[in-house]
Amino acid sequence: MGGRRHESVLYPALAFASLAAVISANTGFSISIYDVTSRSVYLRWPKFSGAVSYRVTASPVNVVCHSVMVHFSDVTLIGILTPLTPNTIHTVKVEAIDENGIILAEAQTMQLTAPEMPIIDQAYSKLSNSITVEWTAVPGATSYLLTAQDGESFIETIITNSPGTVTGLKAATLYKITIRSINSGGKSQPSPSRKAKTVLAAPVLSASSPSYDSIVVSWRAVHMAVGFSVSIMRSDGLGNMVKENTTNTSLVFTSLDSGTLYTIKAHAWNVNGIPGDDFIYNQRTSPQAPADVQVVFDSGALKAIISWTPKEGNFNYSVTASNRASKLNCVTSSTSCSIASLHCGSVYSICVIASNDAGSSKPTDSVSLKTVPCAPGSITIEEDDPGNLSVSWSNVDLGEYYVVFVKSDDGLEVHCNTSHTQCHFQSDCGFMYFISVFAYNKAGQSPSGEVLNYTTAPCCPSDIHPVFVSSDTIEIVWSPVRGAEMYETKAVDWTGVVLCNDTATVCTLSSLQCNTQYNITVYSFSEIRGSNTSCASKCVLTAPCSPEITNISKDALSIISVYWQSNNDEATYIVTARGEAGLWHCTSSGNSCSITNLPCGSVFFVSVVASTTVGQSLPSYSIPFETAPCCPNDLTLTQLTQSVTNISWSAGTGAQTYVTVLESPKGWARCHTLQNQCLLGCITCGTNYTVSLKAISETGLTSDCMYQGYSSSACCPFGVKLYRLGNNGIRIYWRASTGLINYTTHLYGSKGNFTCTPKSGLRFCDVTEIPCGDIYTVMVSPISDKGTKPPFCPKKIYSVTCSGSSVGMVIYRGKRSAE
């Protein structure tokens, strides 16, 4: 409680000290405290100009005590105030005084003195590196400074309460101990010293377990020690503690439990019997060897599984399996271990060693293990005759009997059990057999040795049949057979041999002789076993030879006869005419045939094929044959002028050019063209003509085409003139060729159109009541029996004037052709 009261007074005092510093700053004169003890304050101040002395005063605050005043000369700038009251706030003031005693400047501050000096009650050592100090508390002290001094070196530590301990000391060493009290003002003077000596250092132990029931403990000598005390007991607290005193630096403890952790405790003592520090060490005893070692052999994996009964304190186990050639190890923390990669046909000696952090046990008594025999070697397979296999092998160590497994590629498996080194099996064609031999003894089956395979010869195809036969080709097919990787097809006749090799079950034999019988055999083949040469053959006849056309004759407009050279009396011959218009056939068993109804204007390729029950021959070489071009179906004549006629017609199939002819007793006209029309000049009007057309093909074949006769139109009249007829009439007059021809006249004007038709035989025509004062176009045309008139007769233009209200002069204005 007293300490808290002093702290509450301190903070106002520090506030006052700060205020004094501010006040004194106006003169540049200041005071500073650089050390404080319980009864003294050490201070300094700066030299002040004009001062010959300095007066320093310390007055207690809120305490009835005497003030302390000290005078210093002008050369003294550092002073000490004593004796002051411990743990008390003082007002400390410095005054600069001149030679007349006038105060030139002053500075003051508030300062708390340190607590009263504490007194040590006792100092002692319980550990080799520390000394514990006890003292009576001092009022106002917030902490204490403990000092342990050894010669010129010392160690300090700050403690808040009694007792306090100084650590970091040397063992078995005498120290001078002092203590000082501390508050916020400073530290008190050191207390009267006490001497104390640290106890002995602990011996540093090391231990080992040379056997499963003993532990050897040793240590180095300890400075100032005259004896040692060592105790041992189980770390789990079971059993009794054993304690031994000795002046030596080692001890042996026996009759201990194996594999057990023990706690060892030791200390040294000095000549006064004072014990030093304790040292604790844990040590485990070595393990005992495991008991009841069991070995189980896994013949399939060639490994041994070893198990045992554990002893207390065994952490790890090392298992060793050894024979003459090798040594195999296994380390584990469990009570079983697996050793793999054992050699077949060997005898192993197996032992187990236990270990922990203290060491290893003695090996267990060895256990003998006999492994399975090794796989038989030197396996040979022989096929004594088709369908029988013989398998033999060499004898192996530790083998008591053998089993041979023969598995075919269809999954079927058979085996043979024997004590000899040979077995016999039945086999089929086209199979691959996988053969393995195992040796056995009481330990089990040998490892899998070499798996041999043996392939028997492939089977022969039995369903050979031709699917295509021609003059020079035979296509053979058959069903696949077991074991065949490839097939060889051989065709033999009296002239030679044809071969075909393929992996497919079809073969095409080409370059054969037509109309020839071949002996065909299909041999199966495998890469491993080669060819099966015992396959049966089949006879096949090729198709007839190709005929040769000797002649083609044209018997009529649409009939041809084809002749060829026959080469097979049993063949039927088919003649084919092939063209863009289609196909035409005829059939014969002789050497000629006629094809009818061939269309005009077509090109055909004629060929002959011979056919028998075996097949057809290749066609003969085709001979081209062309029929005459077709006549056009439609022909039209159009008279363009009195002497020119246009003839047009539809295209004729197969025709390239055309020749048209118009012929009459008065003369003829002819035109040769690539087109489908033609203009014929020099036509006589009013004449009957015969019409003919000749269609000509590209190769020069012609067709003469006759059509209905043609009559040219009547001749146009000439010398057409107009005459005035009465007051309002006009007469049209013309001249014409002989003959009874009817005519019609037409007048066209802006004031009207007028027509008149004279009686037969007349060469004039009158138009009455025609308007005058107009220009008229006049045309006179002959009329045919059908009432048609030609459009090409010429037209004349006349101007009809007026004479009063009557027709005046008729004036010829010119002529123009018909529109």
Side-chain angles (χ1 to χ4, degrees):
M1 294 298 289
R4 293 192 184 94
R5 284 198 301 271
H6 284 294
E7 290 175 4
S8 64
V9 174
L10 173 62
Y11 297 114
L14 294 176
F16 286 131
S18 300
L19 181 58
V22 172
I23 294 170
S24 63
N26 294 329
T27 61
F29 189 66
S30 63
I31 184 174
S32 61
I33 307 298
Y34 65 88
D35 193 16
V36 177
T37 66
S38 302
R39 299 180 182 278
S40 302
V41 171
Y42 297 85
L43 68 163
R44 62 168 60 92
W45 56 89
K47 185 176 182 63
F48 196 83
S49 178
V52 297
S53 65
Y54 298 93
R55 182 169 55 205
V56 182
T57 305
S59 303
V61 178
N62 298 329
V63 178
V64 181
C65 294
H66 295 287
S67 298
V68 176
M69 178 185 299
V70 180
H71 288 271
F72 298 94
S73 67
D74 60 340
V75 298
T76 303
L77 302 177
I78 297 176
I80 180 172
L81 292 175
T82 189
L84 304 179
T85 304
N87 196 38
T88 301
I89 297 174
H90 290 76
T91 300
V92 180
K93 182 170 63 175
V94 178
E95 297 169 316
I97 303 172
D98 64 6
E99 60 184 3
N100 298 318
I102 297 173
I103 299 175
L104 301 177
E106 70 176 27
Q108 69 178 21
T109 185
M110 308 295 287
Q111 179 61 50
L112 176 67
T113 54
E116 188 64 79
M117 178 182 64
I119 302 300
I120 297 175
D121 295 333
Q122 60 175 335
Y124 51 86
S125 173
K126 290 185 176 181
L127 297 176
S128 62
N129 66 340
S130 66
I131 293 176
T132 300
V133 181
E134 296 179 3
W135 66 90
T136 302
V138 174
T142 57
S143 59
Y144 300 89
L145 179 64
L146 290 180
T147 302
Q149 185 173 2
D150 172 25
E152 294 181 356
S153 65
F154 58 89
I155 295 176
E156 294 180 337
T157 184
I158 295 178
I159 306 297
T160 56
N161 296 304
S162 176
T165 302
V166 182
T167 60
L169 307 181
K170 295 182 289 187
T173 303
L174 184 63
Y175 285 91
K176 183 174 72 171
I177 307 299
T178 59
I179 185 170
R180 302 172 72 178
S181 59
I182 303 172
N183 64 7
S184 59
K187 297 188 290 289
S188 71
Q189 290 86 359
S191 67
S193 64
R194 285 283 190 104
K195 290 186 178 181
K197 190 174 186 180
T198 53
V199 298
L200 298 179
V204 179
L205 303 180
S206 62
S208 63
S209 177
S211 63
Y212 68 86
D213 62 348
S214 66
I215 291 177
V216 176
V217 184
S218 60
W219 58 90
R220 291 183 180 180
V222 177
H223 178 61
M224 302 296 292
V226 296
F228 302 93
S229 178
V230 184
S231 62
I232 188 171
M233 69 175 300
R234 288 176 62 119
S235 297
D236 55 10
L238 300 178
N240 299 323
M241 182 181 70
V242 178
K243 185 175 183 180
E244 296 285 344
N245 292 331
T246 181
T247 58
N248 297 324
T249 56
S250 64
L251 274 175
V252 179
F253 294 95
T254 59
S255 301
L256 304 179
D257 299 327
S258 63
T260 302
L261 184 64
Y262 282 88
T263 299
I264 304 168
K265 184 177 180 181
H267 66 265
W269 68 81
N270 59 17
V271 293
N272 298 321
I274 298 174
D277 289 345
D278 291 331
F279 188 92
I280 298 176
Y281 189 89
N282 291 323
Q283 176 65 43
R284 189 180 301 276
T285 51
S286 299
Q288 280 186 284
D292 192 21
V293 177
Q294 302 291 328
V295 179
V296 176
F297 179 66
D298 183 350
S299 60
L302 276 178
K303 68 177 181 179
I305 301 174
I306 301 99
S307 60
W308 53 87
T309 302
K311 296 288 186 176
E312 183 180 3
N314 295 0
F315 294 164
N316 295 295
Y317 301 91
S318 177
V319 182
T320 301
S322 58
N323 62 8
R324 295 178 181 178
S326 63
K327 179 182 291 187
L328 302 174
N329 295 306
C330 169
V331 177
T332 182
S333 59
S334 66
T335 58
S336 66
C337 189
S338 175
I339 295 181
S341 302
L342 297 176
H343 294 290
C344 58
S346 299
V347 178
Y348 285 89
S349 177
I350 298 175
C351 64
V352 183
I353 297 175
S355 64
N356 59 19
D357 53 2
S360 301
S361 70
K362 293 181 179 180
T364 60
D365 294 336
S366 62
V367 177
S368 179
L369 170 65
K370 180 188 289 186
T371 63
V372 296
C374 294
S378 302
I379 302 173
T380 58
I381 304 168
E382 294 181 357
E383 191 172 5
D384 300 332
D385 53 67
N388 291 293
L389 295 180
S390 174
V391 182
S392 59
W393 58 91
S394 61
N395 204 354
V396 296
D397 294 337
L398 302 182
E400 297 177 3
Y401 64 95
Y402 304 91
V403 177
V404 183
F405 294 92
V406 178
K407 186 175 184 178
S408 60
D409 53 13
D410 62 352
L412 181 65
E413 184 177 68
V414 297
H415 69 276
C416 165
N417 191 329
T418 180
S419 59
H420 301 290
T421 58
Q422 189 178 45
C423 272
H424 297 276
F425 298 91
Q426 291 185 344
S427 62
D428 293 321
C429 65
F431 275 87
M432 177 179 286
Y433 293 94
F434 299 93
I435 301 169
S436 55
V437 183
F438 293 90
Y440 290 81
N441 61 15
K442 293 180 181 179
Q445 175 186 287
S446 69
S448 177
E450 182 182 8
V451 178
L452 300 182
N453 61 71
Y454 185 86
T455 303
T456 55
C459 300
C460 288
S462 60
D463 57 346
I464 301 171
H465 62 280
V467 295
F468 173 77
V469 178
S470 69
S471 300
D472 63 349
T473 302
I474 299 176
E475 184 179 6
I476 304 292
V477 298
W478 58 91
S479 299
V481 294
R482 285 197 62 89
E485 299 174 3
M486 190 171 67
Y487 301 91
E488 180 181 73
T489 305
K490 180 185 293 186
V492 180
D493 71 342
W494 60 275
T495 61
V497 177
V498 178
L499 295 176
C500 169
N501 293 316
D502 206 331
T503 57
T505 58
V506 59
C507 184
T508 300
L509 298 167
S510 58
S511 301
L512 304 180
Q513 298 294 325
C514 59
N515 197 31
T516 303
Q517 181 171 292
Y518 283 90
N519 193 22
I520 297 176
T521 310
V522 179
Y523 300 98
S524 56
F525 177 84
S526 70
E527 185 176 356
I528 297 176
R529 300 300 300 166
S531 179
N532 191 337
T533 59
S534 62
C535 300
S537 60
K538 185 180 185 71
C539 292
V540 180
L541 179 66
T542 55
C545 299
S546 297
E548 181 181 352
I549 297 176
T550 59
N551 187 31
I552 299 177
S553 64
K554 183 177 180 181
D555 297 343
L557 182 63
S558 62
I559 301 174
I560 63 171
S561 294
V562 182
Y563 301 89
W564 61 87
Q565 183 178 356
S566 176
N567 54 24
N568 193 318
D569 295 337
E570 297 180 359
T572 298
Y573 295 88
I574 302 170
V575 181
T576 301
R578 182 187 307 273
E580 292 183 357
L583 297 175
W584 278 259
H585 302 282
C586 69
T587 303
S588 174
S589 59
N591 60 358
S592 66
C593 184
S594 295
I595 299 178
T596 62
N597 299 322
L598 292 176
C600 60
S602 299
V603 176
F604 295 93
F605 291 92
V606 181
S607 63
V608 183
V609 173
S611 177
T612 64
T613 56
V614 175
Q616 286 189 341
S617 71
L618 296 173
S620 67
Y621 294 116
S622 296
I623 296 179
F625 181 82
E626 180 182 2
T627 57
C630 298
C631 290
N633 292 327
D634 300 317
L635 184 140
T636 304
L637 289 90
T638 304
Q639 190 167 351
L640 301 179
T641 67
Q642 192 165 273
S643 64
V644 177
T645 297
N646 180 64
I647 303 179
S648 62
W649 55 89
S650 61
T653 305
Q656 185 186 47
T657 61
Y658 303 90
V659 176
T660 57
V661 178
L662 294 181
E663 189 173 2
S664 73
K666 295 181 180 181
W668 59 274
R670 182 176 181 272
C671 172
H672 191 180
T673 181
L674 288 167
Q675 308 299 321
N676 287 5
Q677 66 177 7
C678 189
L679 292 175
L680 292 177
C682 301
I683 299 299
T684 304
C685 55
T687 304
N688 292 325
Y689 286 92
T690 59
V691 181
S692 64
L693 182 146
K694 181 178 289 186
I696 307 172
S697 71
E698 185 177 2
T699 59
L701 294 179
T702 61
S703 292
D704 294 324
C705 309
M706 298 301 294
Y707 296 92
Q708 186 177 359
Y710 166 71
S711 296
S712 60
S713 64
C715 297
C716 291
F718 56 94
V720 176
K721 295 181 180 179
L722 263 65
Y723 298 98
R724 178 182 177 188
L725 182 66
N727 291 333
N728 292 311
I730 293 295
R731 170 169 286 184
I732 301 99
Y733 174 80
W734 61 87
R735 287 183 292 169
S737 59
T738 60
L740 295 177
I741 300 173
N742 294 324
Y743 295 92
T744 182
T745 61
H746 295 275
L747 279 78
Y748 306 98
S750 62
K751 296 181 178 181
N753 297 330
F754 303 91
T755 303
C756 72
T757 303
K759 292 180 181 181
S760 177
L762 296 181
R763 299 292 184 265
F764 65 91
C765 184
D766 295 335
V767 177
T768 62
E769 302 297 329
I770 185 169
C772 62
D774 199 0
I775 296 175
Y776 291 94
T777 299
V778 180
M779 184 174 71
V780 181
S781 303
I783 299 174
S784 68
D785 296 338
K786 297 180 180 179
T788 61
K789 59 182 180 179
F792 47 77
C793 289
K795 297 177 181 179
K796 288 187 176 183
I797 301 173
Y798 286 88
S799 175
V800 180
T801 65
C802 291
S803 176
S805 60
S806 301
V807 173
M809 296 180 65
V810 177
I811 303 171
Y812 176 65
R813 301 292 296 271
K815 181 174 67 174
R816 64 179 180 180
S817 2
E819 295 177 356

